[in-house]
Amino acid sequence: MTRTSIPLAFCIAGLLTPAFAETARERTVTAIEAAGCTVDGSNVNDVLDGLGLSGADFRLIGEGLVADGLADVSQMGVFRLTTPGCTIAGATPTERTVATIEAAGCTVDRSNINEILDGLGLADEEFREIGEALMAEGRAEVTEAGAFRLTTAGCR
């Protein structure tokens, strides 16, 4: 997995545009996470349909994700995300939420809520329900400043 350029096949079409993602990069990550965190010859067209990105734009996003340590490309041309949503892909929504918030510094506030929700692929209502359950379990709290903060072992 040493190759850092994205095969031309990945740059031909556009992606699904989930309504909750704001930037092309966020939409790309969301679409790849929804496809099981990898893009290869068997699913590239399904993943890319609807994104509306040029080949150059998609290539830049992919290269940026690789450079940021959020993805890699195998020698066989398989693009794989390593975002929190993918490294714990088999986890429950609550486990993914906890891991994602821990990776973001244990606190959710106005400065990072959209990024966290986009990465999780959860609706606001789902996130609220998980947050309320975490607080009821004693694994989270709301700070005086109104931020949601985890009190898990990973956040002490």
Side-chain angles (χ1 to χ4, degrees), residues 27-80:
R27 291 191 315 269
T28 301
V29 167
T30 300
I32 295 171
E33 285 178 343
C37 298
T38 61
V39 179
D40 60 22
S42 69
N43 69 348
V44 65
N45 291 329
D46 293 334
V47 172
L48 296 177
D49 283 345
L51 242 189
L53 295 176
S54 69
D57 289 341
F58 185 74
R59 181 176 292 120
L60 285 174
I61 290 169
E63 289 173 353
L65 291 168
V66 170
D68 292 343
L70 298 173
D72 56 46
V73 180
S74 74
Q75 291 180 353
M76 300 300 293
V78 176
F79 183 87
R80 182 178 61 96

Side-chain angles (χ1 to χ4, degrees), residues 138-150:
R139 298 195 299 161
E141 64 187 10
V142 176
T143 68
E144 289 181 22
F148 179 84
R149 189 178 78 76
L150 290 180

